[in-house]
């Protein structure tokens, strides 16, 4: 019998088992490594900026939020309060006369209007500056400094003359700019011829502001309360114009002679038309119907204008004692209401339709006449003459049939 040495099988099996164990461990570790690597890759993929999860993680490139630093357009709110509503409250109604330096183009009349001194304004300014203006006859010059009186001032000479003074009593009167013998006579219930004789006046048109006249008062019975339009209007004295008598007036119509007078006169149809337009425009603005021209009223207005022009007076009462109603009736017009407005001023001193209209609009009574809602027709006349003391006359007769 053959004897063989015993085979070591247990060692072989153990060696195999060890190899299997080593391979299993290697595979396990490899799998774990793969899983870990997969997780890392997954996490990296999910956390990219464009992925949803990436928005929760700060990126290395802080997407330079070009917060355009709002170009600091601090739109300068220039604090609009800089609109300093000109507190130039120059309307600080002065409490006493104030200084004013004459400028180019100034005149007593213009200054009176600018400072609201009323119709007597030019005379008020002259009276306030009598010592300065008397030597020049009321003419003002550029550069002069004068005192401007307060609005509402009243001329001392406008106080009505006492009816108790004996007829012919002499009083002294200082001539003011715009004064005429007819106006002075009317003011003191005197007569122009008597004033001329008393003062030995050779040229009635050469009165100078500052002259002192002796006036015989109460020579005539004063007429019934007349509106301010019955007193002469002071002329405009241009700055720097040293004139004592008015130059000849230019008219647009040929002269003629009135049937009831003997003086020469001129008419100006253009003046009449302009005045009619001014009146009707104002009535339209006030919501009133325009006045229609009536030939009979125009005749009555012209007759009275000529009577005053040729006889050097200004009054609603004619020299024959007639009233506006009387004159309208005599012209053949039957009226239930008659209103008459007068204005007299030499054309060389600014006597024109506009100055007449402005005067009436500044006087409450005259304005009420021209804007009377009851009147429907009107007659307007204008006559002028260099021989007349007042130079030129406007007469407006408005009525209701």
């Amino acid at each position: 019998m053959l004897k063989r040495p015993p085979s070591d099988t247990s060692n072989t099996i153990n060696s195999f088992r060890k190899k299997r164990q080593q391979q299993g461990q290697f595979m396990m570790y490899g799998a774990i490594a793969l899983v870990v690597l997969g997780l890392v890759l997954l996490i990296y993929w999910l956390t990219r900026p464009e992925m949803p999860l990436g928005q929760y993680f700060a990126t290395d490139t802080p997407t330079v939020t070009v917060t355009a630093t709002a170009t600091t357009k601090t739109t300068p709110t220039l604090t609009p309060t800089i609109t300093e509503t000109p507190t130039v409250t120059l309307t600080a109604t002065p409490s006493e006369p104030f200084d004013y330096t004459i400028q180019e183009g100034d005149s007593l009349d213009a200054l009176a209007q600018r400072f609201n001194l009323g119709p007597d304004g030019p005379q008020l300014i002259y009276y306030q500056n009598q010592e300065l203006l008397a030597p020049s006859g009321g003419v003002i010059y550029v550069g002069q400094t004068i005192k401007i009186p307060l609005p509402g001032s009243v001329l001392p000479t406008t106080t009505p003359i006492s009816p108790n003074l004996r007829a012919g009593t002499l009083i002294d009167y200082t001539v003011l700019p715009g004064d005429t013998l007819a106006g002075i006579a009317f003011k003191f219930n005197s007569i122009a011829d008597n004033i001329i004789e008393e003062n030995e006046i050779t040229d009635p048109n050469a009165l100078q502001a500052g002259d002192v006249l002796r006036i015989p008062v109460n020579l005539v019975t004063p007429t019934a309360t007349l509106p301010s339009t019955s007193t002469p209007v002071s002329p405009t004295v241009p700055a720097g114009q040293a004139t004592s008598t008015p130059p000849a007036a230019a008219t647009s119509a040929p002269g003629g002679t009135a049937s009831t007078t003997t003086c020469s006169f001129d008419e100006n149809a253009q003046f009449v038309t302009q005045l009619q337009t001014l009146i009707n425009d104002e009535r339209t603005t006030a919501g009133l119907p325009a006045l229609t021209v009536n030939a009979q009223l125009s005749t009555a207005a012209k007759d009275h204008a000529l009577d005053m022009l040729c006889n050097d007076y200004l009054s609603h009462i004619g020299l024959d004692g007639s009233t506006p109603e009387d004159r309208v009736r005599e012209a053949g017009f039957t009226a239930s209401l008659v209103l008459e407005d007068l204005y007299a001023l030499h054309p060389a001193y600014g006597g024109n339709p506009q100055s007449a209209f402005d005067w009436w609009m500044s006087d409450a009574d005259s304005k009420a006449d021209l804007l009377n809602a009851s009147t429907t027709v009107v007659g307007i006349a204008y006559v002028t003459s260099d021989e007349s003391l007042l130079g030129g006359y406007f007469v407006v007769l408005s009525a209701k049939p």
Side-chain angles (χ1 to χ4, degrees), residues 66-401:
V66 188
T67 317
T69 321
T71 317
T72 315
K73 283 190 177 179
T74 324
T75 312
T77 316
L78 296 175
T79 322
T81 323
I82 300 180
T83 315
E84 300 179 358
T85 311
T87 316
V88 190
T89 319
L90 293 176
T91 322
T93 312
S95 56
E96 58 183 16
F98 55 93
D99 290 339
Y100 175 80
T101 302
I102 304 301
Q103 306 295 318
E104 186 68 38
D106 277 343
S107 67
L108 294 185
D109 191 57
L111 292 176
Q113 292 183 31
R114 183 186 310 170
F115 296 109
N116 301 315
L117 300 180
D120 288 331
Q123 295 173 323
L124 285 167
I125 295 174
Y126 176 85
Y127 192 83
Q128 183 71 46
N129 302 275
Q130 195 165 352
E131 291 184 7
L132 176 66
L133 300 183
S136 64
V139 177
I140 55 179
Y141 300 92
V142 173
Q144 279 183 319
T145 297
I146 62 174
K147 290 282 187 183
I148 300 296
L150 300 179
S153 300
V154 179
L155 285 171
T157 52
T158 56
T159 306
I161 200 71
S162 171
N164 296 324
L165 281 178
R166 182 176 56 82
T169 298
L170 295 174
I171 65 170
D172 289 337
Y173 175 74
T174 301
V175 177
L176 298 174
D179 272 342
T180 62
L181 282 178
I184 295 172
F186 177 84
K187 186 180 299 184
F188 296 105
N189 302 323
S190 187
I191 299 173
D193 288 342
N194 291 62
I195 297 175
I196 291 173
E197 182 180 351
E198 181 65 36
N199 295 275
E200 299 181 354
I201 297 173
T202 56
D203 184 358
N205 291 317
L207 285 184
Q208 292 284 325
D211 289 348
V212 178
L213 301 179
R214 300 280 286 170
I215 311 296
V217 302
N218 291 340
L219 296 181
V220 297
T221 303
T223 56
T225 311
L226 297 174
S228 55
T229 48
S230 65
T231 56
V233 182
S234 56
T236 298
V237 182
Q241 182 178 332
T243 57
S244 56
T245 56
T251 54
S252 60
T257 304
S259 58
T260 57
T261 59
T262 56
C263 72
S264 297
F265 67 91
D266 290 303
E267 296 182 75
N268 190 324
Q270 186 176 2
F271 272 16
V272 172
T273 301
Q274 290 176 2
L275 185 53
Q276 178 190 347
T277 300
L278 287 170
I279 294 172
N280 280 335
D281 284 350
E282 188 68 21
R283 287 179 65 89
T284 299
T285 300
L288 300 172
L291 298 176
T292 303
V293 175
N294 177 275
Q296 294 164 314
L297 291 180
S298 296
T299 297
K302 180 179 177 181
D303 286 347
H304 188 49
L306 285 173
D307 190 38
M308 292 187 292
L309 181 82
C310 297
N311 293 290
D312 297 327
Y313 76 99
L314 181 65
S315 172
H316 292 293
I317 307 300
L319 292 184
D320 58 357
S322 63
T323 66
E325 289 79 7
D326 295 334
R327 293 188 289 273
V328 167
R329 190 182 310 111
E330 186 177 348
F333 186 87
T334 302
S336 58
L337 172 66
V338 175
L339 300 172
E340 182 180 72
D341 293 282
L342 311 176
Y343 179 87
L345 180 63
H346 199 291
Y349 282 154
N352 56 49
Q354 188 66 58
S355 64
F357 179 76
D358 290 344
W359 170 268
W360 288 325
M361 288 298 103
S362 69
D363 176 70
D365 291 335
S366 298
K367 183 176 182 179
D369 286 350
L370 298 179
L371 299 183
N372 189 299
S374 299
T375 55
T376 58
V377 289
V378 67
I380 302 175
Y382 174 74
V383 293
T384 181
S385 170
D386 286 336
E387 298 177 1
S388 171
L389 289 179
L390 295 181
Y393 287 80
F394 284 96
V395 177
V396 174
L397 276 172
S398 49
K400 174 186 177 182

Side-chain angles (χ1 to χ4, degrees), residues 24-39:
Q25 289 177 353
F26 178 78
M27 291 180 67
M28 181 182 67
Y29 290 144
I32 292 173
L34 288 173
V35 170
V36 171
L37 180 61
L39 288 174

